[in-house]
Amino acid sequence: MTKSKRQEFVREVKKSKTLLLMILPAVLIIFVFAYLPMGGMILAFKQFNYRDGILGSPWTEGIFDNFKFFFMSGKAFGVTLNTFLYNLSFIAVNTVLAVSFAVVLSEATGKRFKKLTQSAIFLPYFVSWVIVGTIAYNLLNYENGVVNGVLMQLGMEPVNVYADGPIWRVLIVLFNAWKGVGYSMVVYLAAVTGIDMQLHEAAKIDGANIFQRVRHVTFPAVVPTIVTMVLLDVSKIFRGNLDLFYQLIGKNGALYEATDVIDTFVFRSLLETSDIGMAAAAGFYQSVLCFVTIMVVNGIVKKAQSEYALF
């Protein structure tokens, strides 16, 4: 760096010191909780013990020894596929619902209706998965769940939902949408409200109805935000939400085949074996899959519409 550039850099720092101080806490949080833990990936190739610590623990005899447990269990492909398909469903369902709610609220005229609806949709985002799991159990349990109580009142047979794996493929997607759509909706609503109203006025003068305006004005303006949000979600498509799956399913072995993801499988295995190296190996495996996926998808987007790509 030349002297003139160094002076210019110092001048810009002094000029923006207030903004830099405002962003400093966020930078520190990301550094501590996102970047520092990356050093722990070395455990995937070590025989970890608490006495020697991360750096002092010996290396495994074979470079992939910690990966053997995961792949030799016979469940690696199944839980990986479940993780991918669940996250793909989450992305598709949540994106469609969030964009739809954002468009409907942007077109609604009643202020009170808009505020109440937005608050009602956004509120579940703040409910912990522990509470959601409790709500699900009280609704769906066989003996005295609300759903089975209604079915029996109607003269129908109760359904043992907690023994029916396939139905949970739908229920998990619905619970995730109920809890997560509100946050995404706020992001899309910000994008929708940022559209120049003159475009809508011009479309009205040309005789466009509300559906035509949404299709030809609103949706094209929101597409960049949709692509960015989807790409961010794709970057973690092989990471299951442990809170979601563990709080809803718990240790119910009857549902493992339909609901087990990498994170829950590794978590249970860690509780049983206390093998830190195996857990680190599974995390490393997930990271590699996520990295490859986001690189491929971002490359495709870059070739199709370069301005929509993340990098």
Side-chain angles (χ1 to χ4, degrees):
M1 184 182 292
T2 63
K3 186 177 180 179
S4 60
K5 287 186 177 180
R6 191 182 302 111
Q7 290 175 342
E8 184 181 351
F9 174 76
V10 173
R11 188 162 50 250
E12 286 296 324
V13 169
K14 289 181 178 179
K15 181 180 176 182
S16 307
K17 61 181 180 181
T18 303
L19 295 176
L20 291 173
L21 286 173
M22 289 174 64
I23 201 174
L24 182 61
V27 172
L28 289 175
I29 289 172
I30 293 174
F31 177 74
V32 172
F33 292 102
Y35 283 92
L36 283 182
M38 289 176 66
M41 288 194 295
I42 194 176
L43 290 173
F45 307 98
K46 286 201 166 193
Q47 295 176 346
F48 176 76
N49 63 76
Y50 292 98
R51 182 186 59 190
D52 297 324
I54 295 177
L55 298 178
S57 297
W59 298 94
T60 56
E61 294 181 5
I63 190 171
F64 295 115
D65 280 359
N66 283 330
F67 294 83
K68 287 182 180 178
F69 176 87
F70 181 59
F71 290 101
M72 293 179 68
S73 66
K75 296 182 179 180
F77 177 77
V79 296
T80 300
L81 183 63
N82 277 349
T83 307
F84 174 78
L85 292 178
Y86 273 118
N87 281 319
L88 194 65
S89 301
F90 295 162
I91 293 170
V93 173
N94 287 17
T95 301
V96 171
L97 289 177
V99 173
S100 300
F101 283 134
V103 171
V104 170
L105 286 177
S106 68
E107 295 293 337
T109 55
K111 290 185 178 180
R112 181 173 295 181
F113 170 79
K114 290 174 69 173
K115 288 182 179 180
L116 288 175
T117 305
Q118 183 175 339
S119 299
I121 297 172
F122 192 44
L123 182 62
Y125 178 76
F126 298 101
V127 179
S128 75
W129 281 112
V130 177
I131 303 300
V132 176
T134 304
I135 293 172
Y137 182 77
N138 282 282
L139 285 173
L140 304 171
N141 79 80
Y142 185 75
E143 282 94 12
N144 43 27
V146 174
V147 173
N148 280 330
V150 172
L151 291 177
M152 287 188 288
Q153 288 291 330
L154 296 174
M156 302 171 67
E157 291 294 323
V159 180
N160 190 358
V161 177
Y162 281 92
D164 188 353
I167 197 172
W168 277 97
R169 292 191 175 103
V170 177
L171 290 175
I172 286 174
V173 174
L174 292 178
F175 275 112
N176 181 77
W178 174 74
K179 191 174 185 302
V181 163
Y183 178 82
S184 300
M185 179 199 67
V186 171
V187 176
Y188 293 123
L189 189 59
V192 172
T193 53
I195 299 172
D196 190 348
M197 291 304 297
Q198 292 182 356
L199 296 175
H200 284 285
E201 295 298 331
K204 287 181 181 179
I205 293 172
D206 290 339
N209 58 36
I210 185 172
F211 298 106
Q212 291 171 326
R213 286 190 287 110
V214 168
R215 179 182 176 184
H216 297 289
V217 178
T218 304
F219 186 73
V222 180
V223 166
T225 305
I226 295 174
V227 173
T228 301
M229 294 288 287
V230 169
L231 283 175
L232 291 174
D233 288 334
V234 166
S235 67
K236 50 190 177 183
I237 198 167
F238 284 101
R239 292 195 178 277
N241 186 335
L242 178 63
D243 289 340
L244 185 163
F245 289 94
Y246 195 74
Q247 296 301 334
L248 287 180
I249 306 302
K251 296 182 180 180
N252 188 345
L255 304 179
Y256 285 166
E257 184 177 352
T259 62
D260 222 8
V261 293
I262 298 174
D263 301 75
T264 52
F265 175 77
V266 172
F267 180 71
R268 288 197 313 274
S269 302
L270 186 60
L271 290 178
E272 295 170 3
T273 64
S274 300
D275 191 340
I276 303 294
M278 180 275 296
F284 186 84
Y285 166 73
Q286 286 180 298
S287 298
V288 170
L289 287 179
C290 290
F291 175 76
V292 171
T293 303
I294 189 59
M295 292 298 292
V296 170
V297 174
N298 187 74
I300 294 172
V301 172
K302 195 171 184 179
K303 284 189 175 182
Q305 289 285 349
S306 59
E307 63 271 20
Y308 293 164
L310 288 178
F311 49 87

